[in-house]
Amino acid sequence: MSDTYTDGPLLEATRKFDTVLWNDSSDLDELRQSISFGGVGATCNPVIAYTTISKHPEIWNDRIRTIAQENPTWSESTIGWQAVKDMSVEAAKLLEPAFEASGGRDGRLSVQTDPRLHRDPKALADQAEEFHRLAKNIVVKIPATKTGLEAIEDATKRGVSCNVTVSFSVPQAVAAAEAIERGLEARKEAGDSVEGMGPVVTIMVGRLDDWLKHVVKRDGIFLDHSALEWAGIAAVKKAYQIFKDRGFTSRVLVAAFRNVYQWAMVQGGDLVVSPPFAWQERINNSDWEVRETMSEPVDEKYLEELRRIPDFNRAYDEDGMSPEEFATFGPAAKTLRQFLAADNDLDMLVRDIIVPAP
């Protein structure tokens, strides 16, 4: 990777709009270069952490050995999560200037709660509070499930800025924003400050698209497949308008990229867009003309096609799902399983380092 970039659409957009750029990785090299594009945030989750540690064995193998040596009774999981916390603190340090400049609204590093706690709201909130204390500019990721909503409200009440994750739909986003508002109100009623808190609610647009493509194939639904690139964008635009109309404190965050529209068609909105670094390079090297697009509706012909998929309606309509259904919604179940698998992969990676095969 080059450390020097010429001006391009990505950098121009970060200068022109309230739409802010976060990097969908806590890899320090990528984050430094994302900051050169105007990036003011970053994220970490079990998949990202495993990928980063695997990608840089020259850095992390020795560090993991050191953690293990200094803590001889710790399990592989505890050692791995300590590495994740160390990685997060280092990435957060790079974002402190943006944090200070924005009064805490940006400049945040997202740390995800352990997916193995997904059934226990108190354990999630307790870990969220622990992660919150790692650095002044941490935002903690908690899933948009019924259990997660309880944890989000509790953690917010404790002063934790939350980043709602495992979220793919309008009903999830709205329910999460409402949980955050309840937590903020409870905090204020208790006489505690909410100044400088910076909650965001993610919609994983590409994972919704992926799921609907799977459903169309599974169920033999015949439709214009170009519409399937627009489902996530449609959900973001609808959720964004609800957030603005109701004055929610949280901002919408767009993540899990699959196509360039998922960046290009939300520019100009007061929201966060978090593409992987490879997408940032692709966008900045393109000839896309920077313009406001958030107010442009998704073409009605695409919505008509998408309406033929029951799971799109569940994701798009505000009352399409109840909180009890969030965890079993197709992309949520798939994502939770992927995060749980990444936890296992990280355990195995740590085991291979501290107990190498003979």
Side-chain angles (χ1 to χ4, degrees), residues 103-302:
R105 201 160 191 256
D106 291 308
R108 290 189 176 270
L109 189 283
S110 296
V111 185
Q112 184 157 323
T113 48
D114 188 337
R116 285 173 286 207
L117 303 178
H118 70 96
R119 293 163 54 85
D120 187 338
K122 184 178 184 303
L124 285 169
D126 287 347
Q127 189 176 63
E129 187 173 10
E130 175 199 348
F131 289 171
H132 162 73
R133 298 183 189 282
L134 290 174
K136 61 184 177 181
N137 55 333
I138 295 292
V139 58
V140 184
K141 300 172 81 169
I142 302 176
T145 60
K146 184 177 185 297
T147 300
L149 295 177
E150 295 177 42
I152 288 162
E153 182 174 345
D154 184 9
T156 301
K157 183 179 177 180
R158 302 188 201 187
V160 178
S161 291
C162 292
N163 176 353
V164 178
T165 188
V166 192
S167 174
F168 317 87
S169 67
V170 174
Q172 286 177 290
V174 172
E178 290 173 342
I180 289 169
E181 292 300 320
R182 291 192 297 271
L184 291 171
E185 286 304 312
R187 185 166 176 78
K188 287 187 281 189
E189 288 174 7
D192 296 318
S193 175
V194 299
E195 186 177 355
M197 293 181 68
V200 292
V201 177
T202 295
I203 297 182
M204 305 177 88
V205 288
R207 288 176 180 259
L208 176 60
D209 291 359
D210 291 346
W211 176 249
L212 296 181
K213 291 171 185 176
H214 165 75
V215 169
V216 165
K217 182 178 180 180
R218 181 194 69 193
D219 297 346
I221 301 172
F222 186 85
L223 49 67
D224 177 356
H225 270 242
S226 61
L228 295 171
E229 304 298 328
W230 292 90
I233 299 167
V236 163
K237 286 179 180 280
K238 185 169 185 178
Y240 177 79
Q241 193 57 53
I242 292 171
F243 276 43
K244 301 303 286 185
D245 291 345
R246 299 185 190 172
F248 290 147
T249 304
S250 308
R251 285 178 293 172
V252 174
L253 185 152
V254 184
F257 273 49
R258 299 296 186 269
N259 65 55
V260 71
Y261 303 131
Q262 292 163 352
W263 176 83
M265 296 310 298
V266 299
Q267 292 303 306
D270 182 15
L271 76 168
V272 180
V273 186
S274 183
F277 185 75
W279 276 102
Q280 294 177 49
E281 289 188 306
R282 187 180 306 178
I283 293 163
N284 207 53
N285 290 332
S286 75
D287 59 358
W288 191 77
E289 181 183 350
V290 175
R291 59 187 177 86
E292 190 278 326
T293 54
M294 191 63 199
S295 63
E296 296 180 14
V298 173
D299 194 313
E300 192 61 36
K301 71 178 182 181
Y302 292 141

Side-chain angles (χ1 to χ4, degrees), residues 310-332:
D311 270 5
F312 173 74
N313 296 321
R314 295 177 72 200
Y316 188 69
D317 295 334
E318 185 181 345
D319 60 354
M321 286 185 285
S322 68
E324 289 76 13
E325 297 175 280
F326 291 166
T328 56
F329 185 46

